[in-house]
Amino acid sequence: MKFTDIAKVAKRDKVCYIMDDVDGSQWLNTMDAVYRLEGLPKMTSDDFLNLLGVPEDKKNKWESGEMFDEAGLTKTDRFGEVELTADPDGISVFYNGMYLTPFYTKDGVLWMDEDLLEPVRKMDSKYLAFFLRGEKGRRMVAVKDGLILVAVISPVKMSDDFMDKVNIMWRKCRQERGWEGVEEYEISADDLYHGEGAESSEAESADAGHGGED
C-alpha cells in the first residue's frame, strides 16, 4: 500500500496510532482500520504526523499515540477465518457522508466504508483477498495480499436509520419491478402516484449512489 493512500484515511478522521506487532512490524491504527506500514523506518506517531506535514500547533487536534498489538489483531491467520467469495463491487449506497459497499456473508451482510478500502483497492496485486474474522464479539474484514495480511477493517454499524432506508429502497425497487411488462396505454397519470400498494409520497427515500455501519 502507498503511504499517501494510508495517510488520506488518517487525515479524514485525524486519528494516528502507530502499533507494533509481535514480529516488530508497524501498523497505522485509525481505530476503524489497521494498515501495514511498509518501506518506512521505525517511527512514532509524532514522526508519522511530521511525514503528513501536520504543523506543531495543529497536532493537538489529532488523536494519536503508540500501542502494542497485545490482542493479536494483526495476526495473519485467525481461527474460524472465512474467505469472502462474493463480489463486493455489485452495488454501493451513499449514506451519512460515506459510500458503503455490501460484503455478503453466508448469514448476513457487512457494509464497508469505501474510503477505508481505498488503500487496498489501489494496491498493484493479483492476489488480493478478503476474509471474515471475529474480533472481540464483532466481525471484521481482514485483507491479504497472497499470504501476507495487509489490513484489518471494521464494517460500518448498521443503525436503525440506515436499516429503515435500505428497507424503503428495497420496497421501492420491488414496486418498480412491478411496472415491467405493463403497456404504456394501461398506465394513467393517477396510477403513477396512487397505484395499488404504492408508498406514501411522504416516505423517506434512501440516498443512493454508485461507487462503493460498526
Side-chain angles (χ1 to χ4, degrees):
M1 286 178 290
K2 294 181 179 179
F3 175 81
T4 52
D5 295 328
I6 297 174
K8 185 177 178 181
V9 176
K11 287 179 177 179
R12 188 189 74 167
D13 298 324
K14 288 184 168 53
V15 178
C16 166
Y17 287 97
I18 299 300
M19 184 167 67
D20 290 275
D21 65 18
V22 295
D23 297 320
S25 297
Q26 288 196 310
W27 304 70
L28 172 70
N29 189 342
T30 70
M31 307 311 290
D32 288 322
V34 178
Y35 304 100
R36 181 185 291 272
L37 297 175
E38 299 178 294
L40 295 169
K42 291 288 184 178
M43 68 175 70
T44 65
S45 59
D46 192 62
D47 294 330
F48 190 92
L49 294 178
N50 288 336
L51 282 176
L52 293 184
V54 180
E56 290 295 329
D57 61 347
K58 301 293 185 182
K59 290 181 179 179
N60 60 355
K61 297 182 180 296
W62 284 68
E63 183 180 339
S64 63
E66 284 69 52
M67 54 198 315
F68 181 76
D69 184 21
E70 296 181 356
L73 176 64
T74 58
K75 187 177 180 181
T76 297
D77 297 304
R78 299 288 294 270
F79 177 77
E81 199 171 72
V82 178
E83 184 170 4
L84 296 169
T85 56
D87 178 13
D89 296 319
I91 188 173
S92 297
V93 300
F94 188 72
Y95 174 76
N96 199 25
M98 299 175 289
Y99 277 107
L100 304 179
T101 297
F103 277 47
Y104 300 108
T105 71
K106 65 179 182 179
D107 57 355
V109 61
L110 303 177
W111 289 92
M112 306 300 293
D113 183 347
E114 277 294 324
D115 283 352
L116 303 184
L117 290 171
E118 186 173 3
V120 297
R121 288 203 189 281
K122 287 187 173 182
M123 289 179 63
D124 184 18
S125 172
K126 297 180 180 179
Y127 305 102
L128 204 63
F130 300 89
F131 295 83
L132 177 67
R133 61 164 54 176
E135 177 63 31
K136 294 184 178 180
R138 59 176 178 161
R139 300 195 289 183
M140 303 183 75
V141 172
V143 187
K144 298 180 185 180
D145 181 12
L147 300 176
I148 301 174
L149 180 72
V150 294
V152 182
I153 304 173
S154 300
V156 176
K157 184 178 181 180
M158 198 167 189
S159 66
D160 291 341
D161 177 68
F162 182 54
M163 184 69 182
D164 289 343
K165 285 179 167 59
V166 171
N167 276 329
I168 291 171
M169 182 173 63
W170 175 75
R171 292 199 302 271
K172 290 296 186 182
C173 288
R174 296 266 303 182
Q175 289 175 353
E176 185 65 24
R177 288 277 291 176
W179 289 103
E180 292 185 3
V182 179
E183 297 294 337
E184 185 176 351
Y185 66 83
E186 296 181 77
I187 304 173
S188 69
D190 190 57
D191 288 332
L192 294 176
Y193 298 99
H194 304 292
E196 182 179 354
E199 295 285 339
S200 167
S201 61
E202 295 179 0
E204 187 176 12
S205 61
D207 293 327
H210 183 70
E213 218 182 25
D214 211 47

